[in-house]
Amino acid sequence: MLSVICPIYNEEKYIRACIESILTQDYPKDNIEVIFADGMSSDGTREIVAEYSSKYPWIHLIDNPDRIVPPALNKAIEASTGDIIIRLDAHAEYPEDYFSKLVRDLKEYEADNIGGVCLTLPINNTAKAKAIAHVLSSKFGMGNSDFRTGISKPKETDTVPFGCWRREVFDKIGYFDNDLIRNQDDEFNGRLRKHGGKIILLPDVKIKYYARDTIRKVWRMFYQYGLFKPLVNSKLKVPATVRQFFPPTLVIGLIFGLIISLAWHPFIWAYLIGIGLYLMLDIFFSFQKKASISEQLYRAIIYPCVHIAYGIGYITGSWRIITRKSFNAKVNR
């Protein structure tokens, strides 16, 4: 029995395509249950899911009044009955052999969590949307985040998108941490690895993931990723990755470099050289691949937007850890 869980909230633009990709799966439908945990959506999301659940009794809708992802996942896991649990995201579409490959390879690799590579796609055909998708799948934008940038062969890794687990994993290490509006996957996978778990990323399992459609949404998303990362580190008692430190280092360098330059004028040349090197990399990676001029210019804006947003969020989160301030925040998806 396979339980498929998916947290949703105001996903009217995406949910129908997501469900249609579930319906085309080659996994036996008699052995599937799909549970959507909805954060009390105010658009047409609930009605769309209800439409499908009336046709397919193995599709279920449950309420998540907390409106954030970890409680949605935990409620769905508690409501599920499957031996294996797969998490989905409503912003994505999945190949028809997605479920069967994950279930098969989970056993073949003796993994504790397994997942595929995200093909980040623009939500529409505008230059801005295409630039956002490009940045979120590039090495300059995302570093060595393999599930975003792609790999050539299966490898053991620190995290995968969404995830596929045996039920006993949750019995062993617990559920998702309700404190983490963002980065709950990072904390869960870090906890899994601390318990000796093995996480495998598969190159031949490709998920179509639709990126955010505005720079403001991208900024907010990466600010929140950065904000909650120090809390993840605090809970795990160790940083999960090295790549997380580059954006806050950039932001600290910009701030303190300016302060030092104002206090000691000769330093301004080193400061300007540092900024110049970053801008050269930004321009190189923005104009490296063929695209319209407007798309390339958007890339040049979005790269520093992603890095600086994450860096500011990380510094803010670190300060909250040091001063023991609350991480409670307005939920922005």
Side-chain angles (χ1 to χ4, degrees):
M1 186 67 182
L2 173 64
S3 293
V4 179
I5 63 174
C6 184
I8 54 174
Y9 175 68
N10 285 351
E11 305 287 3
E12 186 178 26
K13 292 181 182 178
Y14 310 94
I15 191 65
R16 193 177 294 276
C18 175
I19 296 175
E20 287 293 334
S21 73
I22 293 173
L23 296 177
T24 61
Q25 293 296 310
D26 60 10
Y27 201 89
K29 299 302 186 295
D30 290 343
N31 291 340
I32 293 180
E33 63 178 357
V34 179
I35 301 172
F36 290 100
D38 178 64
M40 317 314 293
S41 294
S42 56
D43 61 358
T45 301
R46 295 177 68 88
E47 290 75 16
I48 294 171
V49 176
E51 172 193 329
Y52 280 97
S53 63
S54 66
K55 297 178 184 177
Y56 306 98
W58 43 273
I59 295 178
H60 309 282
L61 178 68
I62 64 173
D63 291 340
N64 171 36
D66 296 291
R67 290 186 60 205
I68 58 176
V69 173
L73 294 172
N74 293 337
K75 291 176 191 298
I77 293 168
E78 289 170 354
S80 69
T81 60
D83 309 299
I84 293 175
I85 297 171
I86 290 179
R87 175 195 169 176
L88 301 185
D89 189 285
H91 277 244
E93 296 173 28
Y94 306 88
E96 63 182 17
D97 58 354
Y98 185 72
F99 295 167
S100 57
K101 272 190 174 181
L102 290 188
V103 171
R104 181 196 68 209
D105 289 350
L106 183 71
K107 299 173 183 177
E108 181 178 329
Y109 287 96
E110 297 181 343
D112 297 282
N113 187 8
I114 198 163
V117 174
C118 279
L119 299 176
T120 305
L121 302 174
I123 190 61
N124 55 51
N125 202 38
T126 64
K128 185 193 300 182
K130 289 191 284 188
I132 290 170
H134 175 85
V135 168
L136 300 191
S137 57
S138 70
K139 287 193 177 293
F140 183 58
M142 300 293 105
N144 66 339
S145 180
D146 290 328
F147 78 85
R148 291 184 184 274
T149 60
I151 55 171
S152 58
K153 58 183 181 180
K155 66 176 290 187
E156 190 167 350
T157 187
D158 56 359
T159 191
V160 292
F162 317 141
C164 172
W165 316 267
R166 295 179 181 84
R167 176 172 292 278
E168 54 259 35
V169 165
F170 299 98
D171 297 331
K172 180 179 178 182
I173 71 168
Y175 288 12
F176 289 90
D177 193 314
N178 286 333
D179 291 340
L180 297 166
I181 295 175
R182 295 285 188 190
N183 302 88
Q184 64 277 156
D185 290 338
D186 289 346
E187 189 279 334
F188 184 86
N189 285 322
R191 193 172 0 126
L192 180 60
R193 295 177 76 200
K194 284 184 72 172
H195 283 79
K198 182 166 68 171
I199 303 170
I200 298 293
L201 181 64
L202 302 169
D204 60 337
V205 176
K206 300 185 187 299
I207 307 154
K208 292 181 180 179
Y209 180 82
Y210 292 96
R212 300 300 191 266
D213 57 350
T214 68
I215 296 175
R216 181 184 176 188
K217 289 179 182 177
V218 172
W219 173 281
R220 188 169 59 203
M221 179 173 69
F222 278 90
Y223 172 81
Q224 290 187 346
Y225 282 150
L227 178 67
F228 284 92
K229 195 66 173 185
L231 183 58
V232 171
N233 297 339
S234 175
K235 288 175 177 291
L236 295 176
K237 303 291 191 280
V238 64
T241 62
V242 174
R243 63 178 176 268
Q244 66 185 281
F245 296 115
F246 289 99
T249 300
L250 172 65
V251 172
I252 290 170
L254 288 171
I255 295 170
F256 283 94
L258 178 60
I259 293 171
I260 295 170
S261 296
L262 293 174
W264 185 51
H265 296 306
F267 187 78
I268 195 169
W269 296 109
Y271 182 61
L272 292 176
I273 288 170
I275 293 176
L277 288 173
Y278 178 84
L279 291 177
M280 285 174 63
L281 288 171
D282 182 23
I283 292 169
F284 174 77
F285 284 101
S286 297
F287 291 84
Q288 184 183 32
K289 293 187 177 181
K290 285 186 177 181
S292 67
I293 292 297
S294 57
E295 182 182 337
Q296 291 172 331
L297 290 173
Y298 270 122
R299 291 176 189 173
I301 295 169
I302 296 165
Y303 276 122
C305 170
V306 166
H307 296 153
I308 292 172
Y310 189 102
I312 292 174
Y314 195 99
I315 293 166
T316 305
S318 298
W319 180 249
R320 290 187 183 183
I321 292 290
I322 293 168
T323 58
R324 301 180 183 276
K325 289 187 176 180
S326 171
F327 274 76
N328 290 336
K330 182 181 178 181
V331 179
N332 286 309
R333 291 175 61 85

